[in-house]
Amino acid sequence: MKRLLLTGNGAAAWGARLAKAEYIPAFPITPQTEIIENLAAWIDSSEMPGRLVTLESEHSMMTAAGGAAAAGVRVFSATSSQGLLYAMEMLYTVAGWRVPFVLVNVSRALSAPITLEPDHNDVFAARDSGFIQIHCSTCQEVVDAVLLAYRLAEHPDIRLPVMVNLDGFYLSFTREPVTLPDQQGAAEFVGGFDPLGMAFRAGAPLSQAVAVLGGSQYSYFRYQQHLASLQALDVYDDLEREFFGRFGRSHPAVEAYRTDEAEMVFLMTGSFATKAGNAVDALRESGIRAGLVRPRLLRPFPVRRLRQVLRGVRGIAVIDQNLSVGKGGILYTELASALYGQENAPVLLSFIGGLGGRDISGEEFIGIARVTIDAIRSGSVPEPRLLYTADELRHIRKLQAIASVQQENHCRNHE
Amino acid sequence: MYRIRFHGRGGQGMKTAGRILGTSFFLEGFDVQDAPRYGAERRGAPIFAYVRASRSVIQERGVIRRPSLVVVADDTLAGLPEADVLGGQSADTVMAILSDVPEGTWRSRLNLDSPIVCIPRPDAIKGYAGQAMAGVCCAAVAARLCGSIPKSTLARAVREELGFLAPSVLERSLSEASRMFDSLAPYEAVVRDRPDREFSCDNPPGWVELFHDAAAVAAPVIFGGLTSRLLKTGMWRTFRPVIDTARCRRCWWLCSSFCPDSAIHVGDDGIPAIDYEHCKGCLVCVARCPVHAISAVPESRGVRQENGEEAV
């Protein structure tokens, strides 16, 4: 094992290299491009065997990934944001083909308006596609998750594509210390790819079980994807234990940080969760029993695990770095459905923060905890809140003034 | 924890500065985060990079809000709100600025009580080709001012980060880093190692309720050319074109026609004038002028000439 400074993108590329990915269909997009650049450089210098092909779009890239996996080749690919959405049709399709491969998504908020920085609406748009989803919060987790992802994807009870998500900028371009598994240890852990009889060849046409027409058949095959995905809950636990035994790092399906005796917890995904951990330490020092719960697996959704770690917690602040327009936070909705009807269910508060890469400050985490404690004590749950400050609004009003937007009769946020 | 921000312009090696400093701390056993923050991704546009280094595991993420050290590679950024050089500075934030303007001037201009270290710009970064060397110099400044990095470690980090360059460039980088490091001996360790927690549990977050605005406000029609005139892209320059009107033949069309930003206007007297609020410093006009009446002047000198602090 080697410890070095790596960006999240560098860690993702190392994951593919250590897993001995053989075929990489690629299309560049900020902030993902560095992954492809790394892999291209290694293949060019023969440090990594395999073939990298640039396609004309993410739609074709995803088709090539699915086709190659069906041919029995180990496939890696990566995209982000608009690219993921451009491939959306094929995400559902290749999941339906039940072909195993790993796709890294570098989260970046969706246009319009435009930003290069992250939120999770891109990866949540693929929530129902059939891909398994692992969400990372450090660069270390990225390389480890790619290795775990191949085992999950290629498991004979699952055989679904897996998406590994990391945040643009906050991880993709940020170097931090990463311990790289050695090539031999990684290869032993991941093992060879057994395609279980899949042998798609252009010269030898064959069809897989999904080539059927009609609702009854469709229901069977689609629901089988669902059941396979649910299998991944237990399989992940086993793999994660095996990974810990071999490499000494633990990545449970649901991370529970200082949840012992916790009165309130933050519940969120992604890189900002490390900042929540910082706030938890500060709150504990000041006598507030706070904790952090972070689902790594988003699909399948680890309902049983979440119920376990949230038992006894009286209030949960769900921080959604995404927005379902016309409804609210997606994670909040998911969690509510997991806890509805449970005995002594905690109060659930919804906070929307970090849209388009907007930062979440330490003071805001403390503020969220205070609002949550108040709700626990009073039993009255406040409306969902967008994390947005008076300073930010003042800035927007200035921009609107520059654009000569007539505000007098239309704005309610007067100073 | 040390929190360092490097401010410069695209092409001045701020990402490299962050990486060299990050690697230096890492080699000394620190936990490290280093990252560039891109925006316009254009040569000359303000960019910054940041480094965190701590003896314990770093949980903080993203842009540094309360820096312990700010290193400014290009002093023309100091007055630009877009560059936000002063963002989050407090009484014990050290500001190191590569500038030929004296420290006292900066102190009064910026109205700062906190420590300012004014470092004369090394000759190596003065020419157009030397721009990129600013990053190496800034890394050396930060290493010396933080005081936790021996010179040998800095050199090792420069080799690790720039080893892919031509040997002559690497050697020049090493000698510039070394010279800068040596020259700052009196400032060894002036930057304090601060507590790992940068936020206070007592400050309210300052939230505001966001109410519905009518579509005319929230999805406005932006009116015509007003906005582009208000967006002052002149801040992207590292070099500015300056017209010698004595040499100008008043041909009235070449420089203004070729200017990709319509930033040169020809007056009724036939004399072209450059709109420095919007000239991005591409220097196309310098190349096009057949009588060589337009010269390229480093932006910092141009600013001083404009302020009457230096003879034209």
Side-chain angles (χ1 to χ4, degrees), chain A residues 117 137 170 175-177 271 274-275 285 359 363-364 370 385 388-390 397 400 402 404 410 413, chain B residues 19 23 31-34 37 59 61-62 65-66 161 197 201 206-209 211 213-214 217 223:
Chain A
E117 295 176 42
S137 80
Y170 292 87
R175 290 200 313 172
E176 54 188 24
S271 62
T274 63
K275 297 166 69 131
E285 276 170 36
D359 201 5
E363 282 84 357
E364 290 187 306
R370 288 194 204 288
R385 169 178 278 289
Y388 210 69
T389 64
R397 294 299 184 226
Q400 287 172 326
I402 291 172
S404 300
H410 300 295
N413 279 111
Chain B
R19 288 179 68 109
T23 296
D31 194 40
V32 169
Q33 246 182 33
D34 66 60
R37 181 53 64 114
Q59 304 259 49
R61 289 208 172 275
R65 292 161 169 271
R66 297 175 179 105
E161 294 303 328
R197 190 169 303 145
C201 287
W207 290 325
V208 67
E209 292 295 328
F211 294 108
D213 284 337
V217 172
F223 298 120

Side-chain angles (χ1 to χ4, degrees), chain A residues 3-5 7 30 34 116-117 137-139 169-171 173-178 257 271-279 281-283 285-286 351 357-368 370-371 384-391 393 397 400-407 409-413, chain B residues 1 3 15 18-27 29-41 50 52 57-66 81 160-161 196-223 226-227 230-231:
Chain A
R3 194 169 143 84
L4 71 171
L5 289 177
T7 59
T30 299
E34 189 188 4
L116 301 174
E117 295 176 42
S137 80
T138 65
C139 296
F169 283 78
Y170 292 87
L171 293 183
F173 298 149
T174 301
R175 290 200 313 172
E176 54 188 24
V178 171
Y257 179 67
S271 62
F272 281 177
T274 63
K275 297 166 69 131
N278 224 358
D281 293 343
L283 288 159
E285 276 170 36
S286 63
F351 297 87
R358 186 263 194 199
D359 201 5
I360 303 178
S361 70
E363 282 84 357
E364 290 187 306
F365 282 107
I366 303 297
I368 289 168
R370 288 194 204 288
V371 173
R385 169 178 278 289
L386 173 73
L387 304 184
Y388 210 69
T389 64
D391 270 354
L393 187 61
R397 294 299 184 226
Q400 287 172 326
I402 291 172
S404 300
V405 173
Q406 304 302 313
Q407 297 185 19
N409 303 318
H410 300 295
C411 291
R412 289 178 59 194
N413 279 111
Chain B
M1 189 187 304
R3 297 179 180 85
K15 177 182 174 183
R19 288 179 68 109
I20 293 171
L21 186 68
T23 296
S24 301
F25 273 118
F26 183 65
L27 291 171
F30 283 77
D31 194 40
V32 169
Q33 246 182 33
D34 66 60
R37 181 53 64 114
Y38 306 110
E41 287 175 1
Y50 54 89
R52 291 186 173 89
V57 174
I58 298 170
Q59 304 259 49
E60 233 170 76
R61 289 208 172 275
V63 172
I64 288 172
R65 292 161 169 271
R66 297 175 179 105
E160 273 193 26
E161 294 303 328
D196 271 6
R197 190 169 303 145
E198 67 159 354
F199 59 91
S200 152
C201 287
D202 303 325
N203 295 344
W207 290 325
V208 67
E209 292 295 328
L210 199 59
F211 294 108
H212 168 251
D213 284 337
V217 172
V221 175
I222 310 290
F223 298 120
L226 267 180
T227 52
L230 286 166
L231 184 68

